[in-house]
Amino acid sequence: MVKYVLLDDEVESDASGGDSPGKRLRAAREKLDLDIKTVAKKLHMHEDSIIALENDNYDRFPAPIYVSGFLRNYARLLNLDPEPIVESYESLGKEAPPILSDLTSKIPRRRHRGIEPWAGYLAAGGILLMLLVWMLPSRNQSVDIELQSMSESQQPEPPVSISSMDNEQSTNDQADVTDMPEGNEDGAATDTDEATTAISEPALPIPSDTLVLHFSQDSWVEISDSTGRRLFYNMGKAGETTSLLGIAPFSVLLGYSPGVSIEYNGKPFDQSPYVRQDVARFRLGNRN
């Protein structure tokens, strides 16, 4: 009996003391006489994930924010205060996963087998030679045209008779008397303005949709708009209010949904239908 009481005290110390998060959860589970299969069923998780949490093997999870959510839900299931366990995990200094573009930029490019660098230079030289051969005939043709035009311009003009000069003078006099139609200049300007208006570029969409986030408890949040622009990627702290402006629809991830309330374009939004174990993922707004 004495040994059982001491063991019970040790379990209680492990569940609330300075051990790792996984050891605390395992001690509390064993104290409640729950097996891993039952816990996995209640949390809607795989048994391997529960074992990984209890062994502090966090590398199998996609990101630290998911680990924090799983630890929080596991602690609540065992009637433990989740905050000390989450803080103990965060003190381990786990970093957020790098952005995909950073990872791809570090992947070395593979050179195709059988293709050497000199082959590219040889191909470029061949293309340049073909261009020169194609341009030479056109150049010679342009020279012939210029010589022909010069010879035609040097030919003497035929003599002009007096009668033809009189006819040309009378024609010029009639032309001077004829009235010019009005409004040609205005018409040309109008045509130019219409052409300029037709060529004008379409206006780019202007961000006009708003999101306001009210944090009653700490929660990791990821939000991007329809253009793919990341608007928020951070831990929201309790008591803070954040306003965002973008183009709907928005892609939203709430690590701890009960701690966040959302207003979309001035109206409250209920995200409860999208919550799974306190984590919510959904798209908000319609594309016009």
Side-chain angles (χ1 to χ4, degrees):
M1 294 296 292
V2 175
K3 185 176 181 179
Y4 175 80
V5 172
L6 290 176
L7 180 60
D8 191 32
D9 292 340
E10 291 175 358
V11 169
E12 182 68 26
S13 175
D14 289 340
S16 59
D19 283 335
S20 66
K23 291 182 179 179
R24 298 186 194 183
L25 294 174
R26 182 171 58 227
R29 175 180 61 79
E30 292 175 350
K31 181 181 178 181
L32 296 176
D33 197 20
L34 294 175
D35 56 13
I36 292 178
K37 183 177 181 180
T38 301
V39 172
K41 184 176 181 180
K42 289 180 176 294
L43 294 178
H44 303 284
M45 296 175 62
H46 294 289
E47 296 181 17
D48 293 341
S49 298
I50 302 298
I51 295 175
L53 290 176
E54 292 187 352
N55 292 332
D56 300 307
N57 182 16
Y58 306 117
D59 294 336
R60 62 168 286 120
F61 299 99
I65 180 59
Y66 295 103
V67 177
S68 299
F70 293 150
L71 291 175
R72 195 185 306 273
N73 294 335
Y74 196 176
R76 290 195 181 100
L77 177 66
L78 301 176
N79 297 322
L80 297 177
D81 184 5
E83 297 307 323
I85 294 178
V86 174
E87 291 176 359
S88 176
Y89 163 70
E90 293 176 349
S91 66
L92 299 177
K94 297 292 183 180
E95 298 181 355
I99 300 174
L100 181 60
S101 59
D102 295 338
L103 290 176
T104 55
S105 62
K106 297 178 182 179
I107 299 177
R109 296 183 178 178
R110 297 178 58 186
R111 178 181 296 177
H112 296 284
R113 295 182 178 178
I115 301 178
E116 299 296 334
W118 58 264
Y121 296 112
L122 182 60
I127 294 174
L128 180 60
L129 181 60
M130 293 175 61
L131 290 175
L132 291 175
V133 173
W134 176 78
M135 291 175 64
L136 284 176
S138 62
R139 177 60 181 172
N140 294 334
Q141 184 179 1
S142 63
V143 173
D144 295 339
I145 294 174
E146 291 177 0
L147 292 175
Q148 183 178 359
S149 63
M150 290 176 63
S151 62
E152 292 177 355
S153 63
Q154 292 176 358
Q155 293 179 359
E157 297 180 359
V160 180
S161 62
I162 297 176
S163 60
S164 63
M165 293 178 62
D166 294 339
N167 292 333
E168 183 179 356
Q169 182 66 28
S170 61
T171 303
N172 291 337
D173 294 340
Q174 293 178 0
D176 293 337
V177 176
T178 304
D179 293 335
M180 295 294 293
E182 298 180 356
N184 288 340
E185 296 181 358
D186 296 339
T190 303
D191 295 340
T192 304
D193 294 340
E194 293 178 355
T196 304
T197 304
I199 302 175
S200 60
E201 298 180 354
L204 297 175
I206 300 176
S208 58
D209 298 300
T210 60
L211 284 180
V212 180
L213 310 178
H214 302 281
F215 294 94
S216 59
Q217 299 186 46
D218 294 351
S219 174
W220 178 267
V221 176
E222 298 179 16
I223 298 178
S224 58
D225 66 0
S226 62
T227 65
R229 185 166 59 96
R230 180 179 291 176
L231 305 179
F232 195 89
Y233 189 84
N234 205 346
M235 177 70 73
K237 299 297 183 179
E240 293 181 350
T241 297
T242 301
S243 299
L244 306 174
L245 182 64
I247 302 175
F250 298 95
S251 297
V252 182
L253 169 65
L254 305 178
Y256 183 58
S257 179
V260 186
S261 59
I262 299 178
E263 293 182 12
Y264 171 60
N265 287 338
K267 297 181 179 180
F269 175 76
D270 181 18
Q271 70 266 23
S272 59
Y274 310 99
V275 178
R276 296 293 183 274
Q277 297 298 321
D278 294 338
V279 178
R281 184 190 296 272
F282 54 91
R283 293 176 65 87
L284 176 56
N286 297 321
R287 187 184 298 273
N288 294 328

